[in-house]
Amino acid sequence: MPGKLKAKIVAGRHLPVMDRASDLTDAFVEVKFGNTTFKTDVYPKSLNPQWNSEWFKFEVDDEDLQDEPLQITVLDHDTYSANDAIGKVYIDIDPLLSSEAATVISGWFPIYDTIHGIRGEINVLVKVDLFNDLNRFRQSSCGVKFFCTTSIPRCYRAAMVHGFVEELVVNEDPEYQWIDRIRTPRASNEARQRLISLMSGELQRKIGLKVLEMGGNAVVGYLQCFDLEGESGLVVRAIGTACTLEKLSNSSAAAPPACNSPSKDIKEPPFSEDPNPNTHSSGPSTPLKTQTYSFSPSKSYSRQSSSSDTDLSLTPKTGMGSGGSAGKEGGPLKTLLRQQTQSALEQREFPFFTLTSFPPGFLIHVGGVVSARSVKLLDRIHNPDEPETRDAWWEEIRQEIKSHARALGCHAVVGYSESTSICEEVCILSASGTAAVLHPKFMQEGCLDGYSDPSRLSRQPATFSAGSEKGEFDIFPQSKDSSAALGLEEPSPPSCGFCHIPYDELNIPFPAHLTYCYHCRRQKVPDVLFTTIDMPAEAAVTGKGCLIQARLCRLKKKAQGEVNATAISNLLPFMEYELHTQLMNKLKLRGMNALFGLRIQISVGENMLVGLASATAVYLTALPTPGGIQIAGKTPSDITYEQHISNMQKKINDTIAKNKELYEVNPPEVIEEVIGSPIPEPRQRSRLFRSHSESSDEVSELDLSHGKKDAFVLEIDDTDAVEDIHSLLTDTPAPAGFYSCNTEIMPGIYNWTSGLQMFTSVRVFRLSNANLTNQGLNKIFNDLCENLLKSLYFKLRSMIPCCLCHLNFTVAVPEDELIQVAVTAVAMTFDKDQAQENWKLGADKTHMKAIVENEEQLQFPLELCTESPSTNPFSPCRGTGLQESANAHATPRAASVDYSSFADRWSSWIELIRLKAQTIRRGSIKTTSSLEKASPLPEGRSRSLRSTRSYAGSTVAVVKMTPLSFIPGTRIIKYLGIINMFFIRETTSLREEGGVSGFLHAFIAEVFAMVRAHVAALGGNAVVSYSMKECVFMENPNKNQAQCLINVSGDAVIFMRESELEATPAPPQTSCSGGEVTT
Amino acid sequence: MSMELDVFVGNTMLLDEEVYKLWLDGYTVGDAVRLRLEGGVLQECEASEEVLHSDTMDQFRTFQMCERFLHCPSKLANQLLFQIPPHRQAMLIERYYMFDSGFARELLGKKLSKGTKKDLDDVSAKTGITLKSCRRQFDNFKRVFKAVEELKGPLVENIQHHFLLSDRLARDYAAVVFFANSRFETGKRKLQYLSFQDFAFCARQLISYWTVGSVDSMLEGMDVDLEKEFLHDLKDLKILITDKDMLDQHKSLVCAALRGKIKVFNEMEGNFKNLSRALVNIAVKLTHTKDVRDLFIDLVEKFIEPCRSDRWAVGDIRLFLTHYTSTAHKLDTFRHLVIWDRYMGVVKSCILKMYHD
């Protein structure tokens, strides 16, 4: 009985009229928690009742505190008949359970009814008294903090990152219970809302327990989803990254550099050379040092927690990938390393991280995107009420991801996420992430073990500590050709290190074209890099980035059961392949060479599959200039045909040139080299390849082709290809003054001002044409997305110059002939004029700051380096099983079907595979210049504090919402807890409410209102990392009915404007960095 | 094949003032899109008509959802559904309550009843304002009227307090409420040349000087009604025309003062008694509600028209009225100077305002 929950009902306002006769309402309130209910007195005849109730006290145990929401029901008293419900408020009291979050919930909450929407507001006060001391309390998982943010939250530093946590709970869906036939829709909706609220609470508690077991105190990158399976149940599942977070010292406010640049905080260090470089140099060195790495006390926890001692090394996370590589490696060292890693791997079940941006120094190399999909039949679940079957499904997928990563020479997967798409009894499970090599310094105790064995050192992945986002320099230079070189090499600069290949170039897992890094010239890089993470803050970029989308529809026959599942399984590989091709083409068309934040969604409907891939393209300075796109026909003899082709070629070339100008992609090198003309002349090539050729021989041919510049060749031997090209060219660029990306921030834009507009837009398109072809469908879908973007640009034109960030598209096929697209994003203004100068100025500052921080921050890493230096960390991995994976990719294989489940997983993506481009080495690059550019300079951004509109006069507290983890020009000083809300809205008078659009518009506005009210009641003024994870819309126009379910989440925070902060004693950035480091 | 559903919702309400205006003006989405196209929105930002249509629909829907809060503007600041920055809230309210003076002119002095509302289609046809907009404006009039009708204290402040309007707009509403309450006749053909602003000016004069509130300065009483006592006392002014000596004396004083100063001296001299009788008679009749309603028509028929036919210039009228008022102080036996000044001050301002083509 660890807690006493207290609630007080203060007043209501704007209540609806419940008594027609008097035009008034006799309202009272029921307050319920668990099985205990209290009531207020009836406040007669008023629309603005003042109950001013006593404190209702609930004595409850901790499990309930975590699972149950506080339920507040407002009713209208009726002497003669049953009391009518006006509406409800569910309050999640979890934020009150953590000492660092909110202490009281107090404010006006919208009274919500699933049939009528918001009906007035109620003022409530809620507190929790914990009887037991904190320690005791911690035995339950109360107090574990949850963050949706996929980076280390500002104002915290990660003492240790323990690794992947997941959990899944199942229940019967109330909507499918027999009783649903006799109860009202309202009762049914409320049962569902209540159940999901309970399940989320339970899920969070269970995950919390796992985190405690691992020795952590927080979950970062918490991603919770619902699967409405229908008859077989309702699943709530979540994944996240367990960490031990430490609050930055008091100065916290001051401490973390402003939120503006996501990257700012700690990450800045990029420029400075890594302190760590030494690492390499030293040999396998002494095991002892290990301790140094571990950042902190936290280590110890983790150990305990780790399930098996044997595993020890990295309890939480381990690196995985190295497995296969050993044989290939040159030195014995490597082998050792490899073994070590491997063992670590085995211990750690899934070295996955849901984070998308990392503390500096954490991410060493990025291998590429890995993904897996699997088709399952829900009606084959033996024991639908138990989670085992689903657990096994996900387990399979994760294993697959893990093996893909290993094939890429990587031991970890970052930017990891999971999703499902369900249609009737078929369910597609998907997971994707980015294979990566992480810095050993962040590993935790696992290291200890490792140390004892000298060989292991460098490699252990495990936990890392660290501040904010990602940083990546790698500390280890990869030796150019041979591992031997190691010690001598200088560390690669942070701005390009992550691009360097983690695999062994002699055993490339797939036909990629490698060149020496254009930035440091020391190590090999691929010609194109695809990732699911945010761009590391310190990455060197040329020009600006842009949003790229690949869109695809595929018809399929209606079918049932296994036949259906098999059909879907068979289609999936082709869809992935095409999406990939489209992405690659569009990337080339923009003259860029890397994708960040790649998210591929494939949704299943009765008679079609819809695929949507979104990513932010950039030109990484370290990677080679992409070649152009060349078109070739199969039958060159025909003159008109040739002409047609050359026209098309010209168009493409023009587009590329235009895009380069638009996005300011002018890699310096190009100038120097004659050869470098980005657009290959068509005739140069004698041969054409279809870029995506599947057979490996073709690939080899590719390499043979021309020496200099490579081009990406499209063969238009069939109508499909023509269509493809057309669709390539129909992507209209954003209007002047607009930029867009689906990552946190736009590469190349640094001085954000404070204009901020978060929005959600939903469109549903009805296909009425019965005989659609794939092409027709593609065009419709393509237009749907394009028009949606155009609409957004148009609506937000008053904010120009502005950037749409975190453009997050979700597609669904809710019914036979419907395609639904939902977008949530934020438009942020930036200062165009100052862009350049500020940037430079900022750069210097940042630079300095970065250094400072670096020093402090890296303190221990330094030590570490000395010790561990030895191995080339990477090399060991390199050799790995790439080969196999490569093959796997090359040919999509049909899904293997076993009885109960159709697993189709071929899908892992090793993105690099398909590139056929050939790169040439460029002349020398000026490193210095690129270095300067490398840092995104958060400072610059933070500087520009434009005063936002002052909302001073308004009586309702302003709450900002953003899908990003920061708000420009401000600093987050406190995290108040996670917001995770689920609402159902239903109507039986659709026409009267303005049709489907009116209905959904009102509902979304209501959801925003409820989120804001909850945040305000917690004392917050913003929601960061906001996302709408689910928007399930169903209608029945004939019956004048519609229903919609929405699930949103985010982190409630208090932020302060930087200008205000500066006024306060706490010195801004420098001081902070000082404070935080101590551990 | 069609867009089944299309919505856009911002955390902060996103609105385009131009579109808001089109909505207020009562256009359908289709017409609004056409007008926007003609207005050249697309030139400033490349977009298709489709995009424009979707944007217009969205905003119209938003405004519609917002409308119930606008009916009670103080709720707008308290509601949680839409997050709207205060200056935007003020804009929304102000624009919502703004009315076309042409429309207001038509309704001035009419009873704000259901019957009047039914006849709005005539008003719409006459003024070219859409029926929908007419209804909104009518409802606004009625809403404001009902809210302040029974309230004590200064009318303008009451309106401002309840509806959060700007000073200027609140004053205009005060005029509307005042006219609707006293039901002044403004519809006669002879009054057609007068604009809403002319009447609004007169209303302000009446409110400022002739109502209960004007005497008791803000404290109590109501601005909506003319002070009964004052109207009653106006009877006493009758002596100015019934007492022959006084009338003659008054005339000579005025003539002395104006000689050589106005062009229409002769006409004035010849007409003095008629003019004076007209003005005083209007005052005397004001005890009857019916005659109060005819105040403006009387001023025009009895005073303004004769002057106009004699081609008085505005300056001449000003001089005449000034001296006509002031010389009464020199009449030995005239004792009702306070009432006289209170009456003539307002009448003079009104006549001067109304004296134009």
Side-chain angles (χ1 to χ4, degrees):
Chain A
M1 169 86 49
K4 187 186 276 183
L5 171 68
K6 301 191 298 179
K8 181 182 171 94
I9 306 299
V10 184
R13 68 183 181 195
H14 307 161
L15 294 188
V17 169
M18 298 299 283
D19 179 359
R20 290 273 156 71
S22 64
D23 266 6
L24 289 169
T25 295
D26 304 320
F28 70 101
V29 181
E30 279 182 9
V31 186
K32 185 175 177 195
F33 189 84
N35 293 319
T36 316
T37 306
F38 293 100
K39 286 182 189 174
T40 65
D41 296 334
V42 174
Y43 193 93
K45 305 205 182 307
S46 170
L47 299 182
N48 300 290
Q50 304 290 320
W51 292 289
N52 238 323
S53 78
E54 60 192 296
W55 282 98
F56 298 122
K57 295 174 185 141
F58 302 88
E59 296 184 342
V60 283
D61 67 34
D62 46 355
E63 198 174 304
D64 288 343
L65 276 176
Q66 284 194 281
D67 290 4
E68 298 264 354
L70 180 66
Q71 286 182 49
I72 295 171
T73 311
V74 185
L75 300 112
D76 176 52
H77 176 74
D78 201 325
T79 319
Y80 303 108
S81 60
N83 299 326
D84 297 324
I86 295 174
K88 293 196 163 207
V89 179
Y90 291 90
I91 300 179
D92 178 11
I93 49 173
D94 215 47
L96 296 180
L97 304 180
S98 158
S99 55
E100 284 169 40
T103 53
V104 64
I105 295 175
S106 163
W108 289 100
F109 291 88
I111 301 168
Y112 181 73
D113 177 73
T114 61
I115 305 294
H116 295 102
I118 292 179
R119 307 173 93 190
E121 290 129 34
I122 184 169
N123 194 315
V124 180
L125 259 168
V126 184
K127 287 182 181 174
V128 172
D129 285 343
L130 300 176
F131 292 165
N132 303 341
D133 67 359
L134 210 74
N135 278 337
R136 163 89 165 70
F137 206 59
R138 276 176 151 248
Q139 296 307 312
S140 80
S141 68
C142 286
V144 172
K145 293 181 284 289
F146 285 79
F147 300 91
C148 295
T149 301
T150 58
S151 55
I152 302 301
R154 285 121 229 290
C155 80
Y156 285 97
R157 88 179 258 289
M160 189 147 8
V161 179
H162 303 277
F164 191 62
V165 282
E166 49 79 30
E167 186 61 76
L168 176 153
V169 296
V170 184
N171 211 312
E172 208 179 336
D173 190 337
E175 191 128 311
Y176 290 86
Q177 288 165 340
W178 66 270
I179 195 170
D180 199 55
R181 294 183 197 168
I182 54 170
R183 66 181 163 195
T184 62
R186 174 183 283 118
S188 181
N189 292 339
E190 283 174 4
R192 256 177 141 186
Q193 286 193 166
R194 199 165 45 237
L195 176 68
I196 289 185
S197 180
L198 267 171
M199 289 170 77
S200 312
E202 181 190 347
L203 193 72
Q204 240 172 288
R205 179 174 52 82
K206 287 186 169 170
I207 287 200
L209 284 171
K210 290 189 176 180
V211 172
L212 290 176
E213 219 171 81
M214 291 169 115
N217 63 5
V219 181
V220 178
Y222 186 67
L223 174 68
Q224 183 191 289
C225 298
F226 300 96
D227 297 331
L228 301 171
E229 291 183 351
E231 296 286 349
S232 62
L234 179 74
V235 175
V236 185
R237 60 192 162 79
I239 56 176
T241 304
C243 298
T244 300
L245 296 185
E246 288 171 3
K247 187 127 172 110
L248 293 176
S249 50
N250 277 344
S251 54
S252 59
C259 318
N260 305 353
S261 59
S263 40
K264 277 192 164 188
D265 291 9
I266 309 197
K267 2 168 139 188
E268 294 308 343
F271 308 101
S272 52
E273 300 191 276
D274 280 340
N276 304 344
N278 313 332
T279 351
H280 321 301
S281 56
S282 59
S285 67
T286 66
L288 311 181
K289 303 208 165 179
T290 354
Q291 301 225 349
T292 36
Y293 310 141
S294 55
F295 293 109
S296 55
S298 41
K299 279 191 165 187
S300 52
Y301 291 100
S302 54
R303 289 188 172 182
Q304 310 170 344
S305 57
S306 63
S307 43
S308 63
D309 292 345
T310 46
D311 303 351
L312 16 151
S313 39
L314 326 163
T315 16
K317 280 301 161 134
T318 4
M320 29 174 30
S322 57
S325 62
K328 321 196 166 176
E329 297 301 322
L333 253 186
K334 292 187 174 183
T335 331
L336 284 179
L337 283 179
R338 211 194 89 227
Q339 289 171 345
Q340 179 192 4
T341 354
Q342 191 163 14
S343 66
L345 257 184
E346 279 152 18
Q347 312 173 328
R348 270 302 73 203
E349 199 178 4
F350 297 112
F352 295 174
F353 302 86
T354 53
L355 303 180
T356 57
S357 71
F358 308 92
F362 178 52
L363 194 61
I364 296 173
H365 297 307
V366 170
V369 172
V370 287
S371 77
R373 289 183 208 280
S374 163
V375 181
K376 302 290 184 189
L377 284 173
L378 296 172
D379 52 3
R380 299 299 168 82
I381 302 176
H382 286 305
N383 207 347
D385 297 340
E386 298 299 325
E388 282 77 20
T389 311
R390 283 93 164 182
D391 277 337
W393 290 350
W394 286 111
E395 166 96 15
E396 269 173 41
I397 294 225
R398 290 173 193 142
Q399 287 296 353
E400 182 153 341
I401 291 273
K402 189 167 148 186
S403 70
H404 289 320
R406 199 181 295 141
L408 279 173
C410 295
H411 57 223
V413 176
V414 294
Y416 180 72
S417 65
E418 297 177 345
S419 62
T420 58
S421 170
I422 296 175
C423 176
E424 303 291 320
E425 76 287 353
V426 176
C427 173
I428 302 182
L429 310 186
S430 314
S432 72
T434 303
V437 173
L438 306 178
H439 195 287
K441 88 182 174 191
F442 294 107
M443 323 195 208
Q444 64 179 53
E445 34 187 2
C447 308
L448 272 186
D449 300 345
Y451 292 124
S452 52
D453 175 350
S455 56
R456 297 186 166 194
L457 327 165
S458 51
R459 267 312 156 116
Q460 303 276 35
T463 32
F464 21 112
S465 63
S468 42
E469 318 219 330
K470 29 169 99 191
E472 318 239 331
F473 12 109
D474 48 319
I475 306 191
F476 315 78
Q478 290 192 337
S479 53
K480 298 192 172 185
D481 294 340
S482 65
S483 51
L486 311 175
L488 308 181
E489 302 261 346
E490 289 175 23
S492 40
S495 49
C496 67
F498 71 97
C499 308
H500 302 161
I501 53 167
Y503 32 85
D504 184 344
E505 73 179 280
L506 298 177
N507 294 288
I508 306 180
F510 44 79
H513 214 79
L514 304 181
T515 24
Y516 279 105
C517 174
Y518 278 61
H519 193 268
C520 69
R521 289 272 152 210
R522 287 194 295 263
Q523 310 193 26
K524 293 286 179 78
V525 294
D527 45 4
V528 175
L529 188 60
F530 284 15
T531 72
T532 57
I533 56 175
D534 281 341
M535 192 179 73
E538 54 280 352
V541 194
T542 303
K544 297 197 166 58
C546 70
L547 178 77
I548 282 190
Q549 288 194 321
R551 303 148 186 151
L552 186 67
C553 292
R554 278 287 169 270
L555 291 167
K556 80 172 183 63
K557 293 221 172 79
K558 281 193 188 178
Q560 301 289 319
E562 293 189 16
V563 182
N564 195 20
T566 312
I568 294 171
S569 300
N570 290 339
L571 270 175
L572 283 178
F574 293 99
M575 292 194 65
E576 301 230 19
Y577 178 69
E578 285 224 12
L579 286 171
H580 183 269
T581 308
Q582 268 190 43
L583 283 176
M584 191 62 83
N585 288 341
K586 291 188 177 182
L587 182 65
K588 298 266 174 196
L589 201 63
R590 288 174 178 69
M592 300 184 188
N593 57 20
L595 291 183
F596 288 94
L598 177 61
R599 188 164 166 269
I600 300 176
Q601 203 198 347
I602 295 189
S603 295
V604 58
E606 293 234 318
N607 57 354
M608 67 177 133
L609 289 172
V610 181
L612 179 64
S614 310
T616 301
V618 296
Y619 184 102
L620 284 176
T621 316
L623 266 43
T625 308
I629 296 177
Q630 188 178 355
I631 300 188
K634 224 174 189 173
T635 47
S637 51
D638 185 344
I639 295 179
T640 52
Y641 190 59
E642 291 252 311
Q643 198 138 26
H644 176 63
I645 287 184
S646 71
N647 274 343
M648 225 184 270
Q649 180 72 54
K650 184 163 177 304
K651 258 193 223 161
I652 289 183
N653 292 353
D654 289 350
T655 313
I656 295 181
K658 221 188 297 163
N659 279 330
K660 287 199 171 191
E661 198 175 320
L662 187 61
Y663 301 110
E664 299 159 34
V665 178
N666 309 305
E669 318 97 277
V670 175
I671 305 158
E672 307 169 15
E673 277 190 45
V674 184
I675 312 167
S677 84
I679 304 162
E681 294 169 21
R683 284 287 109 190
Q684 243 174 331
R685 319 272 142 160
S686 44
R687 293 200 74 221
L688 346 157
F689 297 86
R690 184 132 200 203
S691 54
H692 0 78
S693 58
E694 297 164 11
S695 69
S696 48
D697 356 358
E698 285 194 53
V699 174
S700 56
E701 291 182 63
L702 236 198
D703 295 342
L704 300 183
S705 60
H706 331 273
K708 304 233 156 169
K709 238 299 174 97
D710 56 303
F712 194 63
V713 184
L714 280 184
E715 182 180 86
I716 47 170
D717 52 353
D718 52 29
T719 41
D720 275 13
V722 175
E723 289 289 328
D724 289 349
I725 292 170
H726 267 289
S727 67
L728 262 188
L729 295 172
T730 49
D731 268 13
T732 41
F738 268 112
Y739 292 91
S740 54
C741 63
N742 76 334
T743 48
E744 285 241 315
I745 46 153
M746 177 70 164
I749 296 180
Y750 303 100
N751 43 342
W752 300 107
T753 49
S754 51
L756 195 70
Q757 172 67 279
M758 189 281 294
F759 58 85
T760 290
S761 184
V762 181
R763 288 192 177 185
V764 174
F765 196 86
R766 180 175 290 280
L767 311 162
S768 52
N769 190 340
N771 312 316
L772 274 176
T773 58
N774 276 334
Q775 263 93 26
L777 209 54
N778 277 341
K779 177 154 187 336
I780 288 169
F781 182 44
N782 203 46
D783 289 350
L784 180 59
C785 295
E786 281 291 314
N787 287 337
L788 183 49
L789 281 171
K790 276 187 209 159
S791 265
L792 299 181
Y793 295 138
F794 181 74
K795 278 180 182 295
L796 298 162
R797 66 194 184 286
S798 62
M799 294 180 78
I800 286 180
C802 100
C803 179
L804 305 187
C805 295
H806 217 280
L807 262 176
N808 192 355
F809 276 68
T810 318
V811 281
V813 189
E815 274 170 48
D816 239 7
E817 287 165 339
L818 299 183
I819 299 182
Q820 174 187 322
V821 179
V823 190
T824 297
V826 63
M828 299 204 294
T829 55
F830 62 91
D831 193 333
K832 205 173 193 177
D833 304 331
Q834 293 178 4
Q836 302 297 334
E837 294 162 32
N838 246 0
W839 189 38
K840 294 238 163 97
L841 283 179
D844 291 342
K845 279 184 202 163
T846 349
H847 192 56
M848 288 175 16
K849 178 185 138 201
I851 293 173
V852 175
E853 282 184 14
N854 235 359
E855 283 173 9
E856 307 208 4
Q857 205 173 334
L858 296 183
Q859 256 168 347
F860 49 125
L862 275 183
E863 304 176 16
L864 176 174
C865 309
T866 42
E867 334 175 12
S868 59
S870 52
T871 47
N872 252 0
F874 292 135
S875 41
C877 316
R878 295 179 168 193
T880 40
L882 311 180
Q883 204 78 3
E884 309 151 18
S885 64
N887 295 339
H889 294 290
T891 5
R893 26 164 161 115
S896 59
V897 177
D898 48 24
Y899 287 110
S900 61
S901 70
F902 294 82
D904 172 1
R905 32 198 57 253
W906 78 291
S907 36
S908 66
W909 287 66
I910 300 184
E911 302 295 7
L912 301 183
I913 296 189
R914 293 154 189 196
L915 314 183
K916 317 251 161 149
Q918 198 175 350
T919 24
I920 314 171
R921 292 191 194 172
R922 278 320 165 59
S924 65
I925 306 173
K926 307 206 170 162
T927 1
T928 45
S929 62
S930 49
L931 261 187
E932 277 181 20
K933 288 188 183 173
S935 75
L937 325 189
E939 292 241 328
R941 306 168 197 168
S942 53
R943 293 272 136 172
S944 51
L945 321 163
R946 278 288 153 82
S947 59
T948 15
R949 314 150 171 180
S950 65
Y951 296 82
S954 131
T955 32
V956 177
V958 172
V959 175
K960 298 206 173 204
M961 293 169 75
T962 173
L964 309 184
S965 62
F966 67 99
I967 296 171
T970 67
R971 197 169 288 161
I972 292 172
I973 57 172
K974 193 170 186 187
Y975 281 82
L976 300 167
I978 198 169
I979 296 285
N980 188 355
M981 302 170 87
F982 177 85
F983 299 103
I984 300 178
R985 180 84 150 80
E986 185 163 347
T987 183
T988 48
S989 51
L990 190 57
R991 273 186 296 276
E992 295 76 1
E993 293 188 34
V996 287
S997 295
F999 170 71
L1000 191 62
H1001 193 137
F1003 185 34
I1004 294 175
E1006 285 169 348
V1007 169
F1008 285 179
M1010 288 184 279
V1011 170
R1012 288 192 302 256
H1014 278 78
V1015 172
L1018 287 169
N1021 56 7
V1023 187
V1024 297
S1025 298
Y1026 169 84
S1027 72
M1028 181 163 89
K1029 288 191 288 206
E1030 208 84 57
C1031 177
V1032 183
F1033 178 78
M1034 287 156 293
E1035 58 167 328
N1036 189 340
N1038 296 332
K1039 287 189 178 169
N1040 206 17
Q1041 289 175 343
Q1043 190 193 38
C1044 187
L1045 294 76
I1046 288 185
N1047 174 219
V1048 298
S1049 66
D1051 294 325
V1053 302
I1054 303 177
F1055 71 82
M1056 280 178 82
R1057 301 236 144 254
E1058 291 216 312
S1059 44
E1060 294 164 16
L1061 282 172
E1062 271 158 29
T1064 68
Q1069 329 209 323
T1070 14
S1071 65
C1072 27
S1073 54
E1076 61 197 16
V1077 186
T1078 53
T1079 284
Chain B
M1 240 175 286
S2 59
M3 199 63 74
E4 181 97 352
L5 179 160
D6 178 6
V7 298
F8 175 99
V9 190
N11 180 40
T12 302
M13 190 206 247
L14 194 72
L15 63 93
D16 183 325
E17 296 191 21
E18 243 171 82
V19 183
Y20 187 46
K21 177 143 196 336
L22 291 171
W23 178 72
L24 291 175
D25 288 346
Y27 290 105
T28 60
V29 173
D31 288 343
V33 169
R34 193 174 39 75
L35 288 168
R36 293 181 81 187
L37 273 173
E38 286 164 11
V41 224
L42 293 192
Q43 276 136 35
E44 71 189 60
C45 187
E46 33 197 302
S48 64
E49 190 174 334
E50 210 182 336
V51 166
L52 205 57
H53 190 265
S54 136
D55 178 57
T56 311
M57 280 288 277
D58 253 331
Q59 297 203 45
F60 272 39
R61 213 162 37 225
T62 310
F63 299 141
Q64 218 170 316
M65 284 192 262
C66 223
E67 194 166 10
R68 65 191 164 105
F69 299 120
L70 290 168
H71 290 168
C72 180
S74 55
K75 267 192 194 165
L76 192 66
N78 276 330
Q79 54 84 29
L80 302 178
L81 190 59
F82 296 105
Q83 185 157 275
I84 312 170
H87 69 273
R88 286 272 175 172
Q89 290 181 14
M91 187 279 289
L92 282 174
I93 295 169
E94 186 81 4
R95 291 278 185 92
Y96 189 78
Y97 282 91
M98 209 110 81
F99 52 80
D100 291 292
S101 48
F103 173 81
R105 177 67 188 80
E106 287 301 315
L107 250 67
L108 218 43
K110 283 191 187 152
K111 196 172 173 189
L112 300 176
S113 63
K114 280 191 181 150
T116 313
K117 191 171 180 180
K118 268 185 198 145
D119 295 339
L120 285 180
D121 37 0
D122 296 340
V123 178
S124 168
K126 187 170 174 192
T127 57
I129 299 165
T130 62
L131 183 58
K132 201 173 157 221
S133 179
C134 287
R135 291 202 174 127
R136 173 183 58 82
Q137 299 184 43
F138 178 84
D139 289 341
N140 284 344
F141 284 179
K142 192 163 177 178
R143 196 174 310 114
V144 174
F145 181 81
K146 291 237 159 186
V148 299
E149 190 182 23
E150 305 285 314
L151 290 179
K152 307 227 162 187
L155 186 56
V156 176
E157 277 178 37
N158 282 340
I159 293 174
Q160 248 179 318
H161 177 251
H162 270 82
F163 294 93
L164 312 174
L165 302 177
S166 70
D167 198 51
R168 216 187 114 255
L169 191 54
R171 280 170 195 283
D172 283 350
Y173 266 99
V176 170
V177 169
F178 186 75
F179 270 73
N181 186 58
S182 302
R183 309 273 306 283
F184 289 104
E185 175 59 68
T186 64
K188 289 269 166 61
R189 211 167 50 81
K190 284 180 178 167
L191 293 177
Q192 285 308 308
Y193 78 99
L194 291 168
S195 72
F196 170 74
Q197 282 308 330
D198 293 335
F199 282 117
F201 174 85
C202 298
R204 277 196 288 281
Q205 292 295 317
L206 295 174
I207 293 169
S208 304
Y209 300 104
W210 287 5
T211 59
V212 183
S214 64
V215 186
D216 266 344
S217 81
M218 326 258 135
L219 281 182
E220 52 188 89
M222 304 197 295
D223 268 356
V224 193
D225 296 313
L226 297 178
E227 190 188 350
K228 287 262 154 47
E229 213 174 315
F230 165 67
L231 296 180
H232 182 78
D233 292 346
L234 285 175
K235 278 190 181 161
D236 300 338
L237 300 181
K238 200 166 188 181
I239 193 165
L240 281 173
I241 47 171
T242 49
D243 185 329
K244 190 125 189 352
D245 292 345
M246 202 179 283
L247 186 58
D248 289 338
Q249 194 188 352
H250 197 181
K251 178 180 173 183
S252 59
L253 284 169
V254 171
C255 288
L258 291 179
R259 191 180 307 275
K261 289 189 182 153
I262 58 174
K263 284 189 188 149
V264 288
F265 183 79
N266 291 335
E267 291 87 337
M268 186 276 288
E269 196 175 19
N271 229 353
F272 180 86
K273 286 186 184 170
N274 285 337
L275 292 175
S276 183
R277 262 188 216 117
L279 291 173
V280 173
N281 274 329
I282 291 173
V284 171
K285 286 199 305 179
L286 283 177
T287 28
H288 308 291
T289 320
K290 162 83 178 66
D291 293 307
V292 171
R293 288 184 190 167
D294 287 339
L295 174 65
F296 296 101
I297 188 80
D298 287 345
L299 285 176
V300 169
E301 284 180 349
K302 308 267 169 59
F303 187 88
I304 293 176
E305 285 186 343
C307 293
R308 196 184 280 143
S309 66
D310 286 343
R311 301 179 185 281
W312 289 47
V314 181
D316 297 339
I317 296 213
R318 177 175 294 112
L319 277 174
F320 170 75
L321 288 174
T322 306
H323 290 285
Y324 176 71
T325 309
S326 61
T327 49
H329 291 251
K330 297 180 185 164
L331 299 172
D332 306 331
T333 50
F334 186 59
R335 316 212 177 281
H336 310 286
L337 289 172
V338 177
I339 300 287
W340 173 248
D341 284 346
R342 189 174 170 189
Y343 171 73
M344 277 311 294
V346 170
V347 166
K348 178 185 153 197
S349 323
C350 290
I351 290 175
L352 287 174
K353 186 75 186 174
M354 292 161 72
Y355 193 78
H356 63 78
D357 292 332

